[in-house]
């Protein structure tokens, strides 16, 4: 970040990880690692081979002990990860993260028996034990665990898979992260990291957008063989795991972990792809006219409109925008979000070596979440702040469910984040009186929604095609590039020209590496929030209480149960069309304007 930009944005906060541990070499960290290992060994000594003989109270105590170990080890693992992402190019941080990850894997191997053995308890016997209230408390977690039973292997194979993950998927994930953080992009004599280069694609100056795109393409192209190797390796690694476990479809493991039925996802994907012409195709043709072009080049996709506010938003103003929007909906929601600012739970600056993008990390229920940003002052960065704080609020509210049940399936995890964005957007829109600025703001929101829905479903389609093709053999860079261009052309339509170099832009998407098939969760969340927000506008009475109850549930309820109080049903194929009609309606309004 330049000195001028830093002055415009004002002081940017860096997170204080001391709430977890003061430093990597702090005695408290070493003590907790040792304590966690001792607890795991004592737990295995006490319970291995004995679960079937325990009554309800005994099983409840075992789960309580297991949860305490999970929280303690989760705290050390969270610290190691958050410390590492602050500068993934620092070899000392990398070593610390790698050593902690290895030790946590070793401890996890000691505990591996528990879930496998619990799943081997007879169904009738387990139901009888559930009469004990202390055990019934854990029913949602146990029910979810039982769903994984058909795909579990014997103890030794599970142990092998766990230990080998250090030198397979985890190793290639780290290789991707450190390579991506180390990439540099040359721009008019200036050397940039990934995030500032991507941000150039939102510049009002077309020459800068084009130069940014060309710099990205050049560096991605120079590293494409490495990214192809990583992608091929991880796709094959996943195929081996799926085959051994008995998953039939390449995305079944993700659907299971998301606790969502495959047919629900298929209905979502089919609905979005069917609506491409009414959404992205129509919008980008219209945007080309606004910018005085026959067609957009790929570097124009996120270009601001001539009337759009392209000033850099100072951090203090971004904070006020988000907190006031949250507060108008619920003072409690704003109060929770304010803690992230007041207590230094946010790491905002874009720094060399820092992990790109943004995320909210829940850490563990005994601590609190942290948010990572690469804040550069764009309006989209403000929306990203609203998005990540939505996650953070959700994680705080769900924490009382405990270490085993606080985590929310990814599909519903994106609900609070996208709802936070919607609140912030609507607050900005309400304050904007100038018709031209309202049009630009509405267009910006449409683009964000297209990026959240159309782009993410295109990503999911790309992954499906890539993983399917990988089953036939290793893929060359040219083959992956061709799949990418095919899918992007289908989703973006004839209003955008995919110029030279764009074929490599698949290579920087971290979700393909870290969480295969994760991306449909964004579209799920956006369509769901569109319907939820419509309910809120229809009747605000009692909505906030129902919304908070949904967030507080964490991972204890299925999406059907969570949405029932709002009169919504994600298993109804028409549900997705209703969510998409909100985006289409905004495009209608832009056409009218």
């Amino acid at each position: 970040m330049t000195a001028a930009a830093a002055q415009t944005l004002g002081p940017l906060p860096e997170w204080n990880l001391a709430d977890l541990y003061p430093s990597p070499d702090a005695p408290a960290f070493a003590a907790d690692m040792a304590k966690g290992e001792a607890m795991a060994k004592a737990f295995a000594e006490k319970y291995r081979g004995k679960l079937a003989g325990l009554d309800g109270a005994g099983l409840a105590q075992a789960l309580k002990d297991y949860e305490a170990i999970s929280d303690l080890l989760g705290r050390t693992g969270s610290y190691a990860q958050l410390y590492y992402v602050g500068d993934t190019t620092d070899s000392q941080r990398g070593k610390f993260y790698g050593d902690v990850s290895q030790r946590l894997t070793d401890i996890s191997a000691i505990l591996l028996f528990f879930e496998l053995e619990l799943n081997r308890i007879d169904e009738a016997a387990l139901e009888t034990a559930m009469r004990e209230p202390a055990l019934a408390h854990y029913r949602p977690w146990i029910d979810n665990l039982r769903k994984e039973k058909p795909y579990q292997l014997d103890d030794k194979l599970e142990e092998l898979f766990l230990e080998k993950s250090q030198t397979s998927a985890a190793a290639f994930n780290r290789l991707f992260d450190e390579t991506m953080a180390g990439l540099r992009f040359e721009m008019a004599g200036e050397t940039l990291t990934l995030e500032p280069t991507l941000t150039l694609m939102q510049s009002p100056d077309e020459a800068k957008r084009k130069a940014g795109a060309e710099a990205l393409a050049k560096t991605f192209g120079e590293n494409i063989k490495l990214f192809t190797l990583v992608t091929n390796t991880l796709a094959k690694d996943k195929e081996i795991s799926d085959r051994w476990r008995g998953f039939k479809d390449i995305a079944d493991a993700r659907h299971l972990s998301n606790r969502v039925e495959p047919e629900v996802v298929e209905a979502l994907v089919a609905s979005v792809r069917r609506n491409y012409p009414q959404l992205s195709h129509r919008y980008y043709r219209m945007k080309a006219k606004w910018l005085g072009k026959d067609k957009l080049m790929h570097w124009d996709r996120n270009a601001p409109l001539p009337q759009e506010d392209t000033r850099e938003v100072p951090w203090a103003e971004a904070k006020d925008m988000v907190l006031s929007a949250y507060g108008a909906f619920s003072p409690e929601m704003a109060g929770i979000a304010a803690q992230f600012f007041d207590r230094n739970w946010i790491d905002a600056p874009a720094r060399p070596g820092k992990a790109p993008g943004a995320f909210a990390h829940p850490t563990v229920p005994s601590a609190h979440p942290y948010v990572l940003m690469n804040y550069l002052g764009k309006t989209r960065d403000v929306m990203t702040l609203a998005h990540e704080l939505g996650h953070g609020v959700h994680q705080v509210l769900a924490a009382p469910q405990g270490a085993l049940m606080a985590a929310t399936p990814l599909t519903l995890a994106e609900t609070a984040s996208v709802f936070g964005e919607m609140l912030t957007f609507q607050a900005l829109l309400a304050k904007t009186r100038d018709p031209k600025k309202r049009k630009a703001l509405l267009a910006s929101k449409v683009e964000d929604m297209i990026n959240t829905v159309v782009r993410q479903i295109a990503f999911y389609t790309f992954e499906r095609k890539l993983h399917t093709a990988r089953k036939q053999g290793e893929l060359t860079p040219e083959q992956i590039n061709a799949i990418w261009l095919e899918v992007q052309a289908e989703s973006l339509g004839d209003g955008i020209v995919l110029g030279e170099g764009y074929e490599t832009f698949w290579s920087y998407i971290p979700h393909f590496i870290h969480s295969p098939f994760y991306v449909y969760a964004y579209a799920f969340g956006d369509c769901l929030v569109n319907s939820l927000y419509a309910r809120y506008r229809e009747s605000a009475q009692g909505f906030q209480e129902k919304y908070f109850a949904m967030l507080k549930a964490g991972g204890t309820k299925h999406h059907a149960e969570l949405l029932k109080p709002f009169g919504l049903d994600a298993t109804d194929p028409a549900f997705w069309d209703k969510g998409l009609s909100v985006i289409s309606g905004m495009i209608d309004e832009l056409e009218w304007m």
Side-chain angles (χ1 to χ4, degrees):
M1 187 189 302
T2 64
Q7 189 172 4
T8 302
L9 300 180
L12 296 176
E14 297 188 7
W15 54 28
N16 175 20
L17 298 181
D19 290 354
L20 297 173
Y21 298 100
S23 65
D25 56 2
F29 184 86
D32 276 357
M33 287 295 288
K35 182 182 177 183
E37 185 171 2
M39 288 172 70
K41 288 177 178 176
F43 182 86
E45 181 68 27
K46 183 176 181 180
Y47 292 114
R48 189 193 298 272
K50 301 167 187 172
L51 293 186
L54 297 178
D55 61 9
L59 285 172
Q61 186 58 52
L63 275 161
K64 192 174 179 182
D65 294 346
Y66 186 64
E67 187 170 41
I69 298 170
S70 298
D71 192 280
L72 180 63
L73 296 177
R75 177 181 284 261
T76 60
S78 296
Y79 177 78
Q81 183 183 355
L82 294 174
Y83 179 71
Y84 168 66
V85 297
D87 185 357
T88 60
T89 59
D90 181 343
S91 58
Q92 289 303 311
R93 290 184 187 231
K95 173 177 167 49
F96 173 71
Y97 177 61
D99 288 347
V100 172
S101 298
Q102 180 177 327
R103 192 168 175 194
L104 288 174
T105 300
D106 292 343
I107 297 172
S108 296
I110 299 170
L111 299 167
L112 190 62
F113 78 92
F114 180 67
E115 294 184 13
L116 298 171
E117 197 172 314
L118 191 60
N119 259 351
R120 286 197 285 266
I121 295 176
D122 177 72
E123 198 70 45
L126 191 58
E127 276 303 315
T128 300
M130 285 282 192
R131 293 172 187 164
E132 167 60 47
L135 182 62
H137 166 74
Y138 291 102
R139 179 184 280 278
W141 184 83
I142 293 171
D143 287 348
N144 281 334
L145 183 67
R146 301 294 271 192
K147 290 173 184 172
E148 296 177 7
K149 184 176 179 179
Y151 310 103
Q152 288 178 333
L153 307 172
D154 65 51
D155 293 28
K156 280 296 181 186
L157 276 175
E158 288 288 359
E159 188 174 346
L160 176 64
F161 267 56
L162 178 65
E163 291 199 23
K164 287 288 286 181
S165 68
Q166 297 175 78
T167 54
S168 53
F172 278 87
N173 271 258
R174 184 174 162 191
L175 173 62
F176 173 86
D177 288 344
E178 294 187 4
T179 302
M180 195 57 69
L183 293 184
R184 295 295 179 265
F185 304 86
E186 298 297 328
M187 266 285 303
E190 191 177 2
T191 301
L192 302 176
T193 55
L194 177 62
E195 286 294 336
T197 312
L198 287 170
T199 299
L200 286 171
M201 307 273 271
Q202 300 172 38
S203 170
D205 183 343
E206 183 175 2
K208 287 185 178 179
R209 295 197 301 271
K210 181 180 179 183
E214 289 174 345
L216 290 167
K218 181 176 184 294
T219 300
F220 291 157
E222 290 168 353
N223 291 272
I224 201 67
K225 287 186 177 179
L226 174 61
F227 293 131
T228 300
L229 173 63
V230 170
T231 300
N232 270 300
T233 302
L234 290 174
K236 183 61 179 177
D237 184 76
K238 185 181 184 307
E239 185 273 326
I240 293 169
S241 177
D242 286 353
R243 176 161 37 87
W244 275 82
R245 294 189 181 283
F247 288 111
K248 301 302 180 188
D249 183 79
I250 49 179
D252 277 352
R254 174 62 62 197
H255 301 332
L256 177 65
S257 69
N258 279 349
R259 306 301 178 229
V260 63
E261 300 76 13
E263 55 271 21
V264 171
V265 179
E266 288 166 14
L268 164 64
V269 172
S271 181
V272 174
R273 293 181 73 179
R274 187 170 60 248
N275 279 280
Y276 281 170
Q278 285 302 307
L279 300 176
S280 48
H281 296 189
R282 182 164 60 125
Y283 176 76
Y284 289 129
R285 282 196 294 266
M286 185 164 55
K287 183 172 182 176
K289 291 178 183 176
W290 292 339
L291 295 182
K293 294 169 171 278
D294 293 329
K295 293 178 185 286
L296 300 173
M297 291 302 296
H298 67 264
W299 53 76
D300 297 322
R301 187 173 59 83
N302 288 324
L305 298 186
Q307 303 86 3
E308 193 169 327
D309 184 0
T310 56
R311 69 187 178 90
E312 292 178 334
V313 181
W315 176 256
E317 186 179 338
K319 171 186 172 180
D320 289 344
M321 289 163 70
V322 175
L323 290 184
S324 63
Y326 277 27
F329 173 72
S330 161
E332 183 184 354
M333 188 172 174
I336 295 170
Q339 295 180 67
F340 284 78
F341 297 96
D342 298 341
R343 301 184 182 182
N344 290 99
W345 296 353
I346 304 174
D347 195 73
R351 296 187 301 268
K354 181 178 174 180
F359 63 73
H361 193 306
T363 71
V364 289
S366 63
H368 59 76
Y370 284 94
V371 165
L372 178 139
M373 295 272 299
N374 280 272
Y375 188 81
L376 294 166
K378 300 294 183 184
T379 302
R380 276 194 172 89
D381 291 334
V382 179
M383 291 301 169
T384 299
L385 178 62
H387 180 104
E388 298 306 337
L389 285 174
H391 280 307
V393 169
H394 193 176
Q395 290 158 356
V396 169
L397 290 171
Q401 295 291 350
L404 298 183
M405 296 188 293
T408 307
L410 294 179
T411 40
L412 289 165
E414 292 301 336
T415 303
S417 54
V418 178
F419 194 79
E421 278 188 78
M422 180 64 87
L423 290 174
T424 306
F425 163 72
Q426 293 291 349
L428 283 173
L429 191 65
K431 292 178 182 175
T432 305
R433 296 283 179 257
D434 185 315
K436 290 182 178 179
K437 288 186 176 179
R438 280 182 67 84
K439 174 184 172 182
L441 191 59
L442 191 62
S444 177
K445 180 59 178 173
V446 166
E447 290 191 18
D448 286 345
M449 295 170 97
I450 287 174
N451 284 337
T452 304
V453 178
V454 171
R455 185 167 165 82
Q456 303 304 323
I457 291 303
F459 283 177
Y460 178 74
T461 305
F462 168 75
E463 286 188 282
R464 289 199 65 91
K465 287 178 179 287
L466 186 148
H467 282 258
T468 300
R470 179 64 180 90
K471 289 185 175 185
Q472 306 307 313
E474 190 161 307
L475 301 173
T476 64
E478 292 74 20
Q479 287 175 299
I480 300 178
N481 292 350
I483 295 171
W484 173 255
L485 288 177
E486 176 196 349
V487 169
Q488 291 298 302
E490 179 201 15
S491 65
L492 298 174
D494 59 6
I496 293 185
V497 176
L498 304 179
E500 185 178 350
Y502 186 71
E503 69 276 3
T504 63
F505 276 42
W506 58 269
S507 61
Y508 79 92
I509 310 296
H511 302 80
F512 299 158
I513 304 301
H514 300 310
S515 323
F517 305 106
Y518 173 104
V519 287
Y520 71 76
Y522 290 114
F524 193 110
D526 196 278
C527 289
L528 176 54
V529 164
N530 289 341
S531 298
L532 274 175
Y533 195 79
R535 286 283 190 269
Y536 171 55
R537 294 292 283 265
E538 289 165 11
S539 175
Q541 185 70 33
F543 181 90
Q544 187 261 334
E545 290 81 2
K546 287 189 284 188
Y547 180 72
F548 267 49
M550 178 175 74
L551 301 189
K552 288 176 180 178
T556 63
K557 294 181 180 179
H558 185 263
H559 64 77
E561 192 179 354
L562 288 170
L563 297 179
K564 193 173 182 181
F566 303 96
L568 301 174
D569 179 10
T571 63
D572 178 3
F575 171 80
W576 303 113
D577 288 330
K578 289 174 188 172
L580 295 173
S581 71
V582 173
I583 310 174
S584 186
M586 286 184 173
I587 299 174
D588 291 342
E589 188 176 345
L590 284 169
E591 284 185 329
W592 178 82
M593 292 170 77

